[in-house]
Amino acid sequence: MNSLFSCSLLFAALTMAGCERIPTQTAGFSPNVSPSVSLSPWDAASRVEAEDVRFVPAELTAGADLRIAASERRGLLLFNDKGDELARLPGNYSTLDSRAAGESLIVASINNTTQQATLAGLDVSGREWGRPLLLPAQDYAVAGLCLYRDEASNLFLFLVGEEGRGEQWLVGTGSRLNASAERVRRLPLPPQAEYCQADDSANLLFVNEENVGLWAYPAHPEADVSRLPVDMRAPFGSLKASAGAMASVPGGLLALDHDASELHLYQQQDERWLSVASLALPDLQAPERLAVKPNADGLQVLVHDDASGQVYQGQLNWQPKPVSTTPVLASVAALRQTEPVGRQGDAADDPAIWVHPTQPSLSRVLGTNKKQGLLAYDLNGKLLQELPVGRLNNVDVRANFNLAGRMIDLAVASNRDNNSISLFAIDRASGKITEAGEIPTPLYEIYGICLFKPDTGGLYAFANGKDGSFLQYRLKDVSGKIEGALVRRFAVASQPEGCVADDRQQVLFLGEEDVGVWAVDARADGATELTSVLAVGDLLKADVEGIALYQADDQGYLVISSQGNDSYVVLDSAAPYAIRGALRVGLNGALGIDGASETDGLEVTSANLGSPWARGMLVVQDGRKRMPETTQNFKFVPWSEVAKALQLQ
């Protein structure tokens, strides 16, 4: 557990003895000038009659100083710095956030009359509000909200509610609002939260906990739910009395301590936030709202004083230093997804693709449920079969196995209940799957499995265990029963799982979760010397999970699940294993399919399965099912989209 996170949890429990104070370091707009802020009453505020006022981004104003406001009496307003109204959306509104969207502005607020979060587009140059998009009324009071845009230009709205309730909603794509909003996920937030802000470039969500401190959460819809402290109340941080409203700028955060009438500045450094300065606001008794806009001299500032009702404006001679961000990976969207598996928690694991020999559209995707058994889906993700044979982990398929004089296709799976290899016969005409026996292994904890067809004929299975052991079995029909003969052993130094055999090259590719991907001769009499294919590092992030092989007529690619950063690495399957790139499976807002993350197993085929799978299909396990949140499932992606994203042949 992160030490800062552990420290702040103890603070929340009032048992913080021995935790370190949040560090302080000077950083800012000018290294030679201490940060300072100069504020004075904004005379036009009384004309606007609003508590929450925000700047319109400079790129939309053609040099003018334009602002928006939420007013309980007058609605949502666009006006200039003199308080002259330029456009109005009538209603009773409070709190604000906005994002530039092309040549327009998307504004989020709370409709106090209906208690609904509301979004509306604003044509700034045309001085016209668009038709509002209302989120469904919640069963809790929404205290605050903020907008966030991901690297794929999807727009999300975070809701902050009473008693630690929070939600993330998909509300727009590109420069447009969607016709309806769709909830992506629920978030457990602090019980005293009222304000939030998002840093799009860093994919971070900042939330206050009034009597404790400021928190940073991952904002990406596929991210795990976790948090780190930005600052805590004294004596464990620099906040004297309370954590209040915030304003986020790339590389940093500004926050109000409204009870102490102070403005706090923070610079991001890796996963920590350095306290730059605590600036007194002596003319304000209870600073409640905060807005900033970068300019040549630092940051232009707006602060609302709740005690007097006055809005103050001025200049802060500081800007945070931009931080380096992770390169944006290409993103593809799934066109289909399977029905959720029938068990909670970490259940779905590994897929395989069975290709129908004469009618490709009747092909099936097999998937393991490691709390249940083997599942079979059609190409639209509908569950067709469920075989409750035990805790299956990985699965693989090969065609044309002669069993008792009948040609079948064979699926094998690693069975963690019995540390065995479970066997399944697939009828080549109907696709129906039936149990076909079991092969015991001496493995203490069986884990991964894959099949191999050598040039000399026959069929082999590789099974591995968590201790690094690999066992190779020759599969054969003995009087109508499939038996396995152990023909070879070798090992890697630490835990493996995913593997795939290249029948053309007679090579086995295997993953060592914390180390990387190796190649080894797949033949039973071959050498067991390992050759490094790709090591864990800047591109491939542990854990190394599923490995699959895409084989066209003249080109082959390895596809690897890089679980540590929710991505998929693609490289040539022949030495020197040239890297072709990495990508993510993002959400498909139009079809209501969420992205994929924390992927265990994956599979790919180059077979033409009909539209939209003419160039094949990539199937990935989704470890965090969102939109709606339910049990895990598998996502189907056209290989044509992968090839387009990475400019493959």
Side-chain angles (χ1 to χ4, degrees), residues 266-606:
Y266 304 96
Q267 169 70 49
Q268 184 181 355
Q269 187 177 81
D270 299 324
E271 291 187 342
R272 304 173 74 190
W273 285 264
L274 304 180
S275 178
V276 174
S278 300
L279 306 178
L281 304 175
D283 295 330
L284 285 72
Q285 300 177 50
E288 193 74 24
R289 302 281 181 178
L290 176 65
V292 300
K293 181 172 73 171
N295 60 18
D297 298 317
L299 294 171
Q300 192 177 355
V301 181
L302 285 172
V303 182
H304 176 264
D305 183 25
D306 189 53
S308 65
Q310 177 66 55
V311 177
Y312 287 76
Q313 64 178 358
Q315 182 67 35
L316 171 65
N317 65 337
W318 175 83
Q319 279 190 25
K321 297 175 182 177
V323 296
S324 59
T325 57
T326 303
V328 175
L329 299 181
S331 181
V332 295
L335 291 188
R336 303 289 188 273
Q337 63 180 338
T338 66
E339 297 177 23
V341 300
R343 296 293 187 273
Q344 296 288 338
D346 186 18
D349 193 278
D350 188 50
I353 302 171
W354 173 74
V355 179
H356 194 287
T358 59
Q359 296 178 272
S361 63
L362 298 181
S363 300
R364 296 187 178 183
V365 173
L366 279 60
T368 61
N369 180 336
K370 53 196 174 190
K371 297 184 178 183
Q372 185 177 17
L374 187 67
L375 309 170
Y377 306 91
D378 67 16
L379 297 185
N380 288 317
K382 180 182 178 181
L383 182 63
L384 300 176
Q385 271 190 274
E386 179 179 338
L387 289 81
V389 297
R391 296 185 302 132
L392 302 185
N393 201 65
N394 284 16
V395 61
D396 201 7
V397 175
R398 283 295 189 277
N400 297 320
F401 185 86
N402 194 318
L403 180 63
R406 181 171 69 96
M407 192 64 68
I408 64 166
D409 292 345
L410 184 67
V412 298
S414 49
N415 190 318
R416 295 170 71 178
D417 280 342
N418 305 319
N419 285 312
S420 61
I421 300 172
S422 290
L423 307 167
F424 303 91
I426 305 175
D427 185 273
R428 291 173 55 81
S430 67
K432 183 179 179 180
I433 303 172
T434 55
E435 295 182 53
E438 195 170 14
I439 298 172
T441 79
L443 292 169
Y444 178 67
E445 287 185 286
I446 196 171
Y447 214 38
I449 198 166
C450 53
L451 291 168
F452 165 59
K453 274 190 172 183
D455 289 339
T456 54
L459 184 65
Y460 291 80
F462 290 94
N464 62 54
K466 286 190 175 184
D467 64 354
S469 300
F470 275 80
L471 306 181
Q472 184 173 0
Y473 289 87
R474 179 186 295 112
L475 306 181
K476 55 183 179 179
D477 175 15
V478 178
S479 302
K481 178 183 177 182
I482 302 174
E483 294 186 357
L486 181 61
V487 297
R488 188 168 64 148
R489 295 172 178 258
F490 58 93
V492 294
S494 62
Q495 181 171 307
E497 183 178 4
C499 63
V500 63
D502 185 337
D503 298 345
R504 293 181 185 177
Q505 298 187 85
Q506 308 282 283
V507 170
L508 174 70
F509 296 100
L510 60 96
E512 191 175 357
E513 291 194 352
D514 293 330
V515 178
V517 177
W518 302 93
V520 65
D521 195 323
R523 293 169 293 189
D525 58 354
T528 57
E529 180 181 356
L530 300 174
T531 300
S532 178
V533 174
L534 182 63
V536 165
D538 292 338
L539 183 67
L540 182 61
K541 302 293 185 180
D543 287 349
V544 177
E545 291 286 341
I547 305 176
L549 181 65
Y550 180 92
Q551 287 187 315
D553 292 338
D554 56 355
Q555 182 65 55
Y557 300 108
L558 282 176
V559 185
I560 307 165
S561 170
S562 175
Q563 192 179 72
N565 65 345
D566 299 327
S567 69
Y568 311 93
V569 179
V570 179
L571 60 155
D572 288 350
S573 61
Y577 308 115
I579 296 170
R580 297 300 178 178
L583 52 81
R584 291 191 169 100
V585 175
L587 64 81
N588 186 329
L591 295 180
I593 301 175
D594 65 314
S597 55
E598 204 177 27
T599 292
D600 287 328
L602 54 78
E603 185 58 286
V604 65
T605 181
S606 63

Side-chain angles (χ1 to χ4, degrees), residues 135 140 148 150 155-159 166-171 182-187 205 218-223 626-627:
L135 271 68
Y140 60 91
Y148 158 69
D150 69 7
L155 187 65
F156 301 89
L157 183 68
F158 286 101
L159 303 182
E167 295 179 340
Q168 183 175 10
W169 289 72
L170 175 65
V171 296
E182 188 163 1
R183 187 173 65 196
V184 176
R185 59 172 175 157
R186 296 181 177 89
L187 285 169
L205 170 70
H220 196 277
E222 290 297 329
R626 308 270 163 80
M627 210 168 69

Side-chain angles (χ1 to χ4, degrees), residues 53-374:
V53 181
R54 305 292 175 102
F55 295 105
V56 176
E59 62 264 30
L60 300 178
T61 64
D65 186 359
L66 302 183
R67 304 172 185 186
I68 55 173
S71 170
E72 294 180 354
R73 291 184 62 251
R74 301 175 61 191
L76 296 179
L77 308 171
L78 172 67
F79 54 93
N80 60 25
D81 61 337
K82 306 300 182 185
D84 299 324
E85 183 180 308
L86 305 177
R88 181 194 301 194
L89 182 64
N92 176 355
Y93 292 96
S94 62
T95 199
L96 277 176
D97 200 11
S98 65
R99 285 294 184 278
E103 297 181 355
S104 299
L105 189 69
I106 292 178
V107 178
S109 187
I110 297 175
N111 185 321
N112 294 322
T113 302
T114 63
Q115 272 294 293
Q116 290 174 273
T118 303
L119 298 109
L122 172 61
D123 180 350
V124 177
S125 60
R127 311 294 197 254
E128 185 177 2
W129 288 92
R131 183 177 180 180
L133 167 64
L134 276 68
L135 271 68
Q138 306 302 311
D139 60 355
Y140 60 91
V142 178
L145 51 73
C146 55
L147 290 165
Y148 158 69
R149 178 175 278 120
D150 69 7
E151 65 272 11
S153 294
N154 296 300
L155 187 65
F156 301 89
L157 183 68
F158 286 101
L159 303 182
V160 176
E162 291 182 340
E163 299 178 352
R165 302 183 68 172
E167 295 179 340
Q168 183 175 10
W169 289 72
L170 175 65
V171 296
T173 305
S175 61
R176 295 181 295 181
L177 285 173
N178 293 341
S180 60
E182 188 163 1
R183 187 173 65 196
V184 176
R185 59 172 175 157
R186 296 181 177 89
L187 285 169
L189 296 179
Q192 297 171 324
E194 183 179 355
Y195 303 101
C196 69
Q197 281 283 282
D199 182 340
D200 298 349
S201 61
N203 294 303
L204 289 171
L205 170 70
F206 299 102
V207 179
N208 79 311
E209 187 173 3
E210 184 176 4
N211 293 327
V212 176
L214 303 167
W215 298 97
Y217 293 76
H220 196 277
E222 290 297 329
D224 194 8
V225 177
S226 61
R227 64 177 183 174
L228 291 170
V230 176
D231 199 359
M232 297 284 115
R233 281 182 59 190
F236 306 105
S238 63
L239 294 168
K240 291 180 181 177
S242 60
M246 298 163 290
S248 174
V249 286
L253 183 72
L254 298 85
L256 292 173
D257 182 340
H258 55 83
D259 289 337
S261 295
E262 288 185 341
L263 174 65
H264 290 256
L265 314 178
Y266 304 96
Q267 169 70 49
Q268 184 181 355
Q269 187 177 81
D270 299 324
E271 291 187 342
R272 304 173 74 190
W273 285 264
L274 304 180
S275 178
V276 174
S278 300
L279 306 178
L281 304 175
D283 295 330
L284 285 72
Q285 300 177 50
E288 193 74 24
R289 302 281 181 178
L290 176 65
V292 300
K293 181 172 73 171
N295 60 18
D297 298 317
L299 294 171
Q300 192 177 355
V301 181
L302 285 172
V303 182
H304 176 264
D305 183 25
D306 189 53
S308 65
Q310 177 66 55
V311 177
Y312 287 76
Q313 64 178 358
Q315 182 67 35
L316 171 65
N317 65 337
W318 175 83
Q319 279 190 25
K321 297 175 182 177
V323 296
S324 59
T325 57
T326 303
V328 175
L329 299 181
S331 181
V332 295
L335 291 188
R336 303 289 188 273
Q337 63 180 338
T338 66
E339 297 177 23
V341 300
R343 296 293 187 273
Q344 296 288 338
D346 186 18
D349 193 278
D350 188 50
I353 302 171
W354 173 74
V355 179
H356 194 287
T358 59
Q359 296 178 272
S361 63
L362 298 181
S363 300
R364 296 187 178 183
V365 173
L366 279 60
T368 61
N369 180 336
K370 53 196 174 190
K371 297 184 178 183
Q372 185 177 17
L374 187 67

